[in-house]
Amino acid sequence: MIKIMADSTCDLSTEILELYDISLAPLTINIEGKIYKDRVDIEPDYFYGIMEALPEFPTTGMPSPAEYLQIIKDAIKDGYNEILCICMSSGTSGSYQSAELAKSYFYEESPDSSVKIHIVDSKCMSHGSGWLIMKSALMRERGASFEEIVKFNEEYKVNVKHFLSVDDLDHLIKSGRLTNASAIIGKILMLKPIMTMKAGKGAIVAKVRGLKRVLQHYVDEFIKRNNKEITEFIIIGYTSDIKVAENLKVKIEKETDFSGDIHIMQMGVSVGTHVGLGAISMFFVEKR
């Protein structure tokens, strides 16, 4: 039996997590000195409702090895003997290293165990790693072996295409994604940065004026880049405005020949801390 686990930045909906029995190690969020566990004792809508009024910028922390280790032990108690953990990019967090430590601790405690554990450094963020997790769950349901699922993740993780645009550049400045000069210019010209992942880190690939052009950029790039053999579903992410996500879904349906599922899911508190209100994202697998 194959168990799939991840950290909370995968941003998958509760329905998907429950459907595929995916366990999460939560990140922590420090808000004015109080520590919250992502998706455990703080929810996105509450956080986005208070975010702009916070006097200090919230900070996030990776899950501890102990939290990963507990999930592994619980999975084994439930009869799982193959465990796949898909973490956010090691270029943006220590979550992957924490999971690797948990794996090492497990084998130190149980050196004769036959349980297989593989930790994936997804090179992704948010629904990028979420895309890999969903794909892995679908492969498992269709009878793929543990080795086949691991191979897919390691081969295609760098091909999961990320598009992210934000409504307020200030949060990207505070999280180190933009310089103050870039932000000032962007605000004056009403430019919206479009980001992706390169070598496991965020990078700006375009700046366009206005939300309509952001969505058009997403669709145009999808048409050019989409790997039709691999992308059987798309994930659209948002922080605070689901209507924009719904508009993007309609636009994809009208302007492309994509016939798979399009999932709309809210970004969680850990990711939202860094991207702010009004963020809109899109994830699929691009051609090699």
Side-chain angles (χ1 to χ4, degrees):
M1 291 175 63
I2 302 170
K3 175 66 177 181
I4 299 174
M5 55 186 285
D7 61 64
S8 62
T9 66
C10 69
D11 289 343
L12 292 175
S13 67
T14 300
E15 292 75 16
I16 292 295
L17 295 174
E18 292 177 351
L19 177 63
Y20 295 116
D21 188 27
I22 298 163
S23 298
L24 297 184
L27 272 74
T28 57
I29 300 94
N30 185 330
I31 302 175
E32 297 186 277
K34 185 174 181 180
I35 305 299
Y36 300 84
K37 286 189 175 184
D38 191 17
R39 301 185 68 134
V40 176
D41 46 27
I42 187 168
E43 293 296 327
D45 284 335
Y46 168 76
F47 176 70
Y48 298 136
I50 66 170
M51 189 176 194
E52 294 304 292
L54 294 175
E56 297 179 2
F57 186 66
T59 58
T60 58
M62 65 186 180
S64 68
E67 287 173 304
Y68 282 114
L69 183 58
Q70 189 60 56
I71 294 173
I72 291 170
K73 290 180 176 180
D74 289 344
I76 293 168
K77 286 181 182 178
D78 290 338
Y80 293 98
N81 56 5
E82 295 169 317
I83 300 172
L84 177 66
C85 179
I86 301 175
C87 298
M88 78 167 103
S89 174
S90 62
T92 59
S93 170
S95 180
Y96 167 74
Q97 287 83 356
S98 188
E100 283 285 6
L101 279 174
K103 175 182 173 180
S104 297
Y105 294 158
F106 171 77
Y107 286 123
E108 286 175 9
E109 294 177 4
S110 308
D112 299 324
S113 176
S114 61
V115 172
K116 297 177 183 178
I117 304 172
H118 186 86
I119 315 295
V120 177
D121 177 0
S122 71
K123 306 298 181 183
C124 297
M125 279 298 295
S126 188
H127 296 112
S129 59
W131 198 100
L132 288 171
I133 293 162
M134 279 189 65
K135 180 67 173 183
S136 298
L138 288 169
M139 290 178 70
R140 180 188 62 187
E141 298 302 303
R142 296 165 183 166
S145 68
F146 183 67
E147 290 73 19
E148 288 171 332
I149 299 173
V150 167
K151 182 180 178 182
F152 178 88
N153 276 273
E154 296 297 350
E155 285 188 0
Y156 284 96
K157 64 186 183 182
V158 295
N159 299 110
V160 178
K161 190 62 184 175
H162 299 54
F163 284 122
L164 167 70
S165 184
V166 299
D167 192 45
D168 186 348
L169 296 171
D170 289 339
H171 292 278
L172 287 172
I173 299 168
K174 292 174 183 175
S175 60
R177 301 301 187 188
L178 277 180
T179 65
N180 285 319
S182 296
I184 292 169
I185 294 170
K187 286 185 176 182
I188 292 173
L189 300 179
M190 298 182 66
L191 293 177
K192 287 181 174 286
I194 296 174
M195 302 181 70
T196 190
M197 292 292 284
K198 290 186 177 181
K201 295 184 178 182
I204 295 176
V205 292
K207 293 180 183 179
V208 299
R209 188 171 297 166
L211 180 59
K212 287 185 178 180
R213 291 185 181 179
V214 168
L215 302 188
Q216 192 61 54
H217 181 91
Y218 285 13
V219 172
D220 291 344
E221 289 295 302
F222 174 77
I223 292 170
K224 289 190 292 185
R225 295 174 178 271
N226 180 40
N227 184 329
K228 294 183 179 181
E229 293 183 1
I230 302 297
T231 303
E232 58 181 309
F233 61 91
I234 296 168
I235 300 179
I236 296 172
Y238 72 98
T239 52
S240 54
D241 193 345
I242 192 173
K243 291 182 180 179
V244 176
E246 291 169 342
N247 289 342
L248 177 57
K249 179 179 179 178
V250 171
K251 193 171 181 65
I252 294 168
E253 292 170 339
K254 287 183 176 180
E255 298 182 20
T256 78
D257 61 358
F258 183 72
S259 59
D261 293 327
I262 302 176
H263 300 277
I264 295 176
M265 301 185 202
Q266 189 173 32
M267 297 179 216
V269 176
S270 295
V271 172
T273 295
H274 298 285
V275 301
L277 305 180
I280 183 75
S281 58
M282 177 178 175
F283 304 85
F284 59 95
V285 175
E286 64 179 340
K287 302 171 187 175
R288 291 181 170 180

